[in-house]
Each structure stands twice: as structure tokens, then as C-alpha cells.
Amino acid sequence: VVHKKMFCPTISIKMEKKNGHTMTDSLMRFLNRNMLVIMTVSGVLVGVGLGMMVRNMNLTRAQMTYFAFPGEMLLRMLKMIILPLVVCSLISGAASLDTRSLGKLGGIAVSYFLVTTLIASGIGVSLAFIIKPGVGAGALNTNNLGLESVNTNKETTDSFLDLARNLFPANLVAAAFRSVPVGTEPDGMNILGLVLFAMVFGVALRKLGEEGEELIRFFNAFNEATMVLVSWIMWYVPFGIMFLVGSKIVEMEDVVLLVTSLGKYIFASVLGHIIHGGVILPLIYFGFTRKNPFSFLSGLITPFTTAFATCSSSATLPSMMKCVEENNGVDKRISRFILPIGATVNMDGAAIFQCVAAVFIAQLNNIELNAGQIFTILVTATASSVGAAGIPAGGIITIAIILEAIGLPTNDLSLMLAVDWIVDRTTTVVNVEGDALGAGILHHINQQEMKKQHLGEELAEVLVEAVANTQADEETSPLVTHQTLGSAGDQSPRESAEAIESVL
């Protein structure tokens, strides 16, 4: 007893020290794991404060350029890495997946993208008719806000023909920095054509067998090296985002006038993004995986912050790939196959604000939309979002396609462009969220298929062993006489019973 009393205080002191070390280690591990997230969010907050301070200094155009330079460098770095990341990741992913799995996963991905975009379009149209942002705003025009008009000389047919042309670029080198000449973004990268070529090229390399292995290893190594570059760029993101957000606040015009004039339109668009991104997409993810979608999304704070700051789903692609694989454990073959496609064709957030904008312009011009026009808005917004550029203000051109399709004037598009920098931030976040949850769903489906195949192989092995044991004469009792199935089948049950009884 005396011995225990002597050592009890020592033990309690050691336990306290151990607990103290454990708490400190846990805190350090948390900081190390989430340091980039904390720095990125802090960069946004500091950028807002810095922009509000600099806004009152009346900077010259040259001074504003200098102030925005670090943010411009971030965008240039992210855009620099898009081309090798998309091409190499898709070739590597398509070559690493089995052709049957590739077809099945591709079909599920396309179905997911189309269904979610169609749901988003329905939400946008419904909210526009409920909130009615354009009713009573007939006096609002571009002259009151001092906005320049947006010229759109393209026909709806030309826009869809451009989509087909972009799918099959005549020059792959030119596609890296230019879309079709008829398009409205001639200097934009033709991601759609590069995506299709990379997928088909990856499948072709797999079909070659051993001859294509060396080239597949080359693209795998190229892809891994690109991800290393991404990890380096990610540490510049907080600093670049701070000046990117700050410069956008400095460049803002009369925000109060815009918000009061177009407040209902902004509210309808942002509310649609909240409903789709906070309710619909998580429910779809939960329906497929039976897992908590918000724990999945909690590992993607850095890509969401990057999407909010850059307003570009393509520029968010590098950080999205890195976080989905490292934080959420998504298979690299799945993430590097589906995320580049999603960043190109999946535009849920854009579909919402495009539908709201189309109904808003109709209400602004006192035009009653019939059922056929509403259906046209839904279908056109869903289809045209596939070809929408994943760049800031890329959805404005898509709105022009919708307006042309239903016969509405396009001279009010400058209103959308005036507040696009507000709506486009939540738009990009929802676009990126849809891509990430789609990757999570495909990863879950692929895991289930692998488990079924593994279980089927185990059952096949057990069945083979069982059949082999029944035919092993040496391991059975010498008292039992073995007969073939044919001879046993010729005997009647009574004769068989008598034979067995005689042997026993």
C-alpha cells in the first residue's frame, strides 16, 4: 500500500504531461493539415479589407494595375497549368481504366451532368417566376446606369455549330490557345476539343497493349510532375487571392445603385445557387453513397475559395484535383478522368443564373413567356452550358444564345454584365461543387463494382475447390464405393439404397 501511495503522484503528473503533449500534437497536426485552407480564407478576408482601404485613395489606372499585379500572376499560373493538366490527366485516366468501366463511368458521368444541369435550369426558371425580378422595372435601362451595350451578332444555329466545331478542332496546337473563328471567344482555349481528343487518345493507347505502355508511362509521369507543380502553386494562392479580391473591390463602380436596381435579380440568382448547392447536390450525393456530403465538401474549402476569388472553374481545376485526391481519398484514375470533363461541360451554377436572366429580361420588356418558350429556355440552357467557357463572364454569351432562341432582345445584356462579378462568384462555386460531388459518386460506384468483382472471384475459387474435393477419391473413406453420374443415374432409388446398405 505504501508503495502505491508513493508512486501515485508521479503517475498522475506523467498522465497530465502526456495529455498536454497529446493536445499540443493534435493542434499541430490540425494546423499542418489545414494551414493552406486557413491561409486562403484569411487571404480573402484581408483582401476585402485591403480593397476597402485602397478604394478611398483614388488610385490612377497605372497604380491600380500595380496593385492587381500579384492577383494577375496567380491567374496566369493557374491558366498555365490547365493545358498539361487536362490533356495528361485525361490520357492517363482513360488509359488506366478498362474499356467497359470507362464506358459505364462515362455514361454515368454524362447522365449526372445532364440531370443536375436540367434541375438547375428548372430551379432558375421557377425562382424567376416566383420572385419576378423584372416586374415593375421597365424604367430600368442601360442609360440610367451608364453601361455600354453588348453586341451579339450570332444566331442560335451558329452557336450550336460552333459547339460541334470545337469538339473536333482542325489543329490541336491552335486549339491550345484558340477556339473556332466563328465563336465569340477566339482567344480562349478550346478545352472541349482537347478533352475529347485526350479521352479518345487514351483509349487508343490502351488498345495498343504493350506497344502503348511506354507512352502511357510517359503521360503518367508527366501528370504526376504537373501535380507537383500544382502543389507549389497552391502555396502562392493565399497571397495572390488577397490582391485579386482587393483589386476587384477597388474596380467596382457604384455598387449601391447596381444592387438597388438589380437587387431582385441578384437575390434570385444567389438563392438558386444556395438551394442547388446546399440542398439538391448534397441530396443526390447522399442518395448514391449514403454518406454525409458536407463532410466530403469540408475537405474542399481551398478549391471553393479559389473558385470564389477567380470566378473560373478551369482555374480551380488544379486545386480541386489535389484536394479531392488527398483530402477525400478519391481514386486518381476517377478524379483525373472526370474533373477535367466536369470543368468543361458541367455548369449547374451558370444554368441557374442564365435562366433567371432570360426570364428577367422578358419581364423587363413586358413579354409574357408561353410554355413552349419556357421549355426552350430549359433545354437551351442545359445544352448550351456544355459549350460555355469556364472563364469569368463566360456565361453572358450563353444568355445571348437563350435570348435568340426564344426571340427576346439582347440589348439588355449589359445589365447582366454589370452585376456578373457578383453573381459569377456563387456560380463558379456551384459549378465546382457539382464536379467534386460527381467525382465522389463515381468513386463510390467504382468501389462497389470492385467489391462485387472481388467477391465473385472469391466465390469462383471456393466453387472450384469444392468441385475438386468431391472428385478426390484418395481423401474419402475406403468404405464408400464411388460411381459415375451415369451409372448412378441408371439405378433406381431402391437399388441404390440396397447397394449402400450391403456395402455398410
Side-chain angles (χ1 to χ4, degrees), residues 19 80 98 101 120 136 140 206 264 269 287 315 317 322-323 346 412 414 421 436 456 462 472 497:
N19 291 335
M80 172 191 69
D98 182 64
S101 301
L140 180 66
R206 184 176 179 86
K264 292 173 71 175
S269 300
L317 183 60
K322 180 177 174 59
C323 292
N346 187 34
D412 292 322
S414 54
W421 57 271
V462 172

Side-chain angles (χ1 to χ4, degrees), residues 18-30:
K18 185 177 180 181
N19 291 335
H21 285 303
T22 303
M23 292 178 62
T24 304
D25 293 341
S26 300
L27 180 62
M28 292 302 296
R29 283 197 299 270
F30 175 80

Side-chain angles (χ1 to χ4, degrees), residues 404-421:
E404 292 285 352
I406 60 178
L408 290 180
T410 59
N411 55 349
D412 292 322
L413 276 177
S414 54
L415 291 172
M416 311 296 100
L417 196 59
V419 295
D420 185 71
W421 57 271

Side-chain angles (χ1 to χ4, degrees), residues 148-211:
E148 297 179 359
S149 60
V150 178
N151 295 322
T152 55
N153 298 322
K154 288 183 63 177
E155 296 291 335
T156 306
T157 307
D158 290 334
S159 300
F160 285 100
L161 290 177
D162 285 350
L163 177 61
R165 293 186 184 104
N166 281 325
L167 280 172
F168 301 97
N171 189 331
L172 282 174
V173 178
F177 56 88
R178 178 173 296 177
S179 61
V180 293
V182 185
T184 53
E185 291 289 338
D187 293 328
M189 188 186 303
N190 184 6
I191 292 288
L192 203 58
L194 295 174
V195 163
L196 182 61
F197 171 79
M199 289 174 56
V200 176
F201 190 70
V203 174
L205 285 179
R206 184 176 179 86
K207 286 291 185 182
L208 285 178
E210 294 182 359
E211 295 180 358

